[in-house]
Amino acid sequence: MNKQAQQHPHHRTLLAAGLAAFSLTAALATPLNPVPQEAQAKDGGDKTTLTVAVAQSVDSLSPFLAQRLLSTSILRLTNEFLTNYDAKDNHVIPGFATKWEPSPDKLTWTYTIRDDSKWSDGQKATAKDAAFTFNKMMTDEGAATANGSFVGNFKKVTAPSDTQLVIELKKPQATMTALDVPIVPEHVWKDVKDYSKFNNDEKFPVVGNGPYVLTGYKTDQYVKLERNKDFWRKTGKPQFDEIVFKTYKDQDAAVAALRKGEVSFVAGSPALTPAQAASLKGEKNIKVNEGPGRRFYAIATNPGARTKDGKKFGDGNKALLDQKVRQALFRSVDTKTIVEKVFQGHAVQGEGYIPPRFKDYFWQPSDSQKLSYDTTAAAKLLDDAGYKMKGDKRVGKDGKPLDFRILCHATDPNDKAIGKYLKEWWGKLGIGLKVDCMDDVSVPWYAGEYDLAFDGWSVNPDPDFVLGIHTCAALPTKAKESAATDNFICDKKYDELYQKQLAEYDPAKRADIVKQMESWLYDSGYMNVMAYPNAVEAYRTDQIKSIQTMPTAAGNIYGQDGYWSWWSAVPASSSDSGDSSDSGSSTGVVIGIVVAALLVIGGGVFFAMRRRTTADDRE
């Protein structure tokens, strides 16, 4: 939902308030300077600012709580992870750790932590900070909210020295080179009283050790970062002095701002609509980037909200507890029409849980297993489940009509368009549907007060996180609390498969287990993956010279598994066209993108949404 949240979850997700005027030193549009200026590479002159228009707001700036794609993308810029991913092909490369080595039984992992990393307040970043981060997640439930699945199998974490981190496991864990957890400074975070409520948005600049430092934030308006001059990676250091992520509730307004040069990059919600992309193609100084996406777009059912100890809550329709009903809904969704009419070809028809971009884990149902679009078969499943036609309505044994609600993100035009199709398709089967479009879907979602929901996640190169959000361990401890769960799935067989894949180091064998999990999810009817949308973004080529996609041959700019896009971006005015990538591979295909500065409007109001407001919340 990215979550990974929706969401992440959790991200899951998303986001409105007024903005006081504030000043940036490049590309400002003000009464005294009415025309936005083109960003200039720093050459003893003004700062260069890259402004990115986004349709998502921050759920939290705490690395322990953040689950939305925007939030986790920002944290990749401000905090180091133990490892990173190569921009060319996603293979693991050094990050905060320069190397790692497992014991023969693979139950103890020793990481060598680099000795040239500093926190932005000047203190040295060491293995002790990493040990503190993981131990806090292991011992504090609030600190485990976003990424607790990574440490659930940890037995002990120690830092024998400033450059050595040792993690002891209860049993083998295949994700030890893909622990996507931002490391935090112990000297700052040790004084936090309640990790479940501290959003890290009270004091700026925020102390970090990534390539950028978080220096300003206005809820649902903007996030401002400045280049970290002391960052250890010196090769191809960032060319832009500042990055500003500016939130728009209205994506058409963001596209209009791009045309005017008020912003230079539009990330979409999370992608541009086909109409928006088509309208921008051919425009002077604007380029549309499109590549295979790393996310799926789905309908999630509410299988009955519950806590870890089994306490039920919420008001989900009990008809959805029946697999036949869920599969009937599955079989009455024409994904071919959705891809052709809604996405207009800028997506691939959905099947398994992992997008085809990750070929090792991509799964497709067999012909005999496939729940293809078939309204006759859907009607029979409903009949068999005891929901017979009475007039033009499906009615249960209790005489009540079969009616559902579906949560819709008000800022996502795809949700609204597909909602209309669902009303039509399900209506022909006698099923009523209310499409509830709202800015903040997280409140009813976490309360379990929904029947169905438009859902989506960005998938990491290692799929463990998006698989883990469907385990029993991801359920909330208390009713209506934020948790790692996506939609309250808890099944013994699925959990057994999850633990099995986690403990399997052989890549091929692990991939096979992951595919078994995808098969289970498919058969269950809990998750109807309708499409794998392409990444569709637009930028101004007159304001930036080059930037790196991920993968480099054809991929996305916004929401990467790393910081390569913003790290590599070169202002159009820059005379320095040297290698701005240092991701452990050749630069690959470098494409043009965008910049400008934030339009300042005294007393103006910038709109946005809160939690879970797009279909792509987590990383």
Side-chain angles (χ1 to χ4, degrees), residues 113-169:
I113 302 302
R114 62 178 58 258
D115 61 4
D116 55 354
S117 178
K118 291 197 304 184
W119 297 109
S120 54
D121 62 0
Q123 292 203 34
K124 188 176 179 62
T126 74
K128 293 178 173 60
D129 295 302
F132 170 82
T133 301
F134 292 122
N135 276 307
K136 181 57 65 175
M137 293 168 61
M138 292 164 62
T139 58
D140 188 311
E141 195 171 87
T145 300
N147 299 304
S149 62
F150 287 118
V151 302
N153 181 46
F154 286 12
K155 180 180 179 181
K156 185 179 181 182
V157 181
T158 57
S161 72
D162 284 354
T163 58
Q164 189 178 61
L165 176 73
V166 179
I167 300 178
E168 298 177 39
L169 305 173

Side-chain angles (χ1 to χ4, degrees), residues 43 140 144 163 328 450 502 572 576 613:
D43 185 15
D140 188 311
T163 58
Y450 70 100
L502 185 62
D576 180 8
T613 49

Side-chain angles (χ1 to χ4, degrees), residues 7 30 39 72 82 97 102 168 172 177 224 227 245 342 397 403 420 439 498 516 521 552 556 581 589 615:
Q7 271 123 54
T30 70
T72 55
L82 287 183
E168 298 177 39
T177 60
K224 180 181 175 183
R227 184 173 61 191
F245 293 94
V342 178
K397 295 177 182 178
D403 294 325
K420 292 179 181 179
D439 286 347
Y498 175 78
Q516 291 178 50
L521 276 173
T552 52
N556 56 295
S581 167
V589 176

Side-chain angles (χ1 to χ4, degrees), residues 254-482:
V255 171
L258 180 74
R259 283 195 173 94
K260 296 174 184 177
E262 296 170 358
V263 301
S264 297
F265 181 88
V266 176
S269 175
L272 296 179
T273 67
Q276 289 167 339
S279 73
L280 290 171
K281 287 181 178 178
E283 289 254 343
K284 184 180 179 180
N285 298 324
I286 292 179
K287 183 177 177 66
V288 175
N289 175 59
E290 180 166 358
R294 54 181 285 239
R295 60 179 294 268
F296 62 80
Y297 182 78
I299 296 174
T301 63
N302 179 355
R306 63 192 126 170
T307 59
K308 281 188 174 75
D309 61 4
K311 180 182 178 181
K312 296 179 180 180
F313 61 96
D315 61 1
N317 193 316
K318 289 182 172 53
L320 292 172
L321 300 178
D322 192 323
Q323 183 183 24
K324 290 187 175 69
V325 174
R326 299 193 300 269
Q327 290 188 339
L329 296 179
F330 210 131
R331 303 208 68 166
S332 52
V333 175
D334 186 355
T335 56
K336 182 179 179 182
T337 292
I338 288 173
V339 168
E340 291 178 350
K341 300 297 185 182
V342 178
F343 290 100
Q344 296 181 29
H346 299 276
V348 176
Q349 271 184 268
E351 292 180 297
Y353 190 65
I354 308 296
R357 171 164 157 176
F358 304 102
K359 61 182 186 301
D360 291 343
Y361 298 107
F362 179 58
W363 171 88
Q364 295 172 288
S366 64
D367 290 342
S368 61
Q369 183 182 15
K370 193 168 184 177
L371 296 168
S372 55
Y373 178 61
D374 186 334
T375 55
T376 300
K380 185 178 186 307
L381 282 168
L382 291 169
D383 286 339
D384 292 346
Y387 295 92
K388 308 288 187 179
M389 288 295 291
K390 185 176 182 180
D392 61 353
K393 291 286 295 180
R394 289 273 168 188
V395 177
K397 295 177 182 178
D398 57 3
K400 294 182 180 179
L402 191 60
D403 294 325
F404 296 119
R405 306 156 294 173
I406 187 167
L407 288 175
C408 158
H409 304 88
T411 56
D412 193 333
N414 295 325
D415 285 9
K416 296 176 182 178
I418 295 171
K420 292 179 181 179
Y421 277 111
L422 296 180
K423 288 186 67 131
E424 176 187 345
W425 294 332
W426 292 348
K428 290 178 180 178
L429 287 171
I431 299 171
L433 180 67
K434 180 182 179 183
V435 182
D436 288 328
C437 292
M438 57 186 73
D439 286 347
D440 184 1
V441 302
S442 68
V443 175
W445 201 313
Y446 284 117
E449 295 171 354
Y450 70 100
D451 303 322
L452 304 151
F454 289 108
D455 196 2
W457 282 85
S458 289
V459 179
N460 296 329
D462 189 294
D464 179 77
F465 182 87
V466 291
L467 297 173
I469 60 178
H470 296 308
T471 60
C472 300
L475 293 174
T477 302
K478 296 180 181 179
K480 301 185 179 183
E481 280 193 348
S482 175

Side-chain angles (χ1 to χ4, degrees), residues 568-599:
S568 68
V570 178
S573 60
S574 173
S575 60
D576 180 8
S577 59
D579 179 18
S580 54
S581 167
D582 184 22
S583 63
S585 71
S586 60
T587 302
V589 176
V590 177
I591 64 175
I593 183 180
V594 325
V595 282
L598 187 61
L599 175 64

Side-chain angles (χ1 to χ4, degrees), residues 81-224:
F81 295 27
L82 287 183
T83 58
N84 205 333
Y85 298 102
D86 183 271
K88 184 179 180 180
D89 59 9
N90 288 328
H91 76 264
V92 175
I93 61 174
F96 191 43
T98 59
K99 62 180 181 179
W100 41 89
E101 184 178 4
S103 60
D105 63 3
K106 292 185 167 63
L107 290 178
T108 300
W109 286 71
T110 302
Y111 299 81
T112 299
I113 302 302
R114 62 178 58 258
D115 61 4
D116 55 354
S117 178
K118 291 197 304 184
W119 297 109
S120 54
D121 62 0
Q123 292 203 34
K124 188 176 179 62
T126 74
K128 293 178 173 60
D129 295 302
F132 170 82
T133 301
F134 292 122
N135 276 307
K136 181 57 65 175
M137 293 168 61
M138 292 164 62
T139 58
D140 188 311
E141 195 171 87
T145 300
N147 299 304
S149 62
F150 287 118
V151 302
N153 181 46
F154 286 12
K155 180 180 179 181
K156 185 179 181 182
V157 181
T158 57
S161 72
D162 284 354
T163 58
Q164 189 178 61
L165 176 73
V166 179
I167 300 178
E168 298 177 39
L169 305 173
K170 299 173 185 175
K171 55 188 175 182
Q173 181 168 325
T175 61
M176 296 308 289
T177 60
L179 298 172
D180 292 328
V181 176
I183 304 303
V184 304
E186 179 180 8
H187 66 279
V188 174
W189 284 84
K190 63 182 176 61
D191 295 325
V192 172
K193 297 295 189 295
D194 188 344
Y195 279 74
S196 68
K197 296 179 180 179
F198 181 68
N199 284 313
N200 199 27
D201 57 1
E202 298 174 357
K203 184 179 179 181
F204 297 94
V206 174
V207 179
N209 65 337
Y212 281 87
V213 178
L214 180 54
T215 58
Y217 169 63
K218 289 287 185 181
T219 303
D220 298 334
Q221 297 169 24
Y222 68 84
V223 181
K224 180 181 175 183

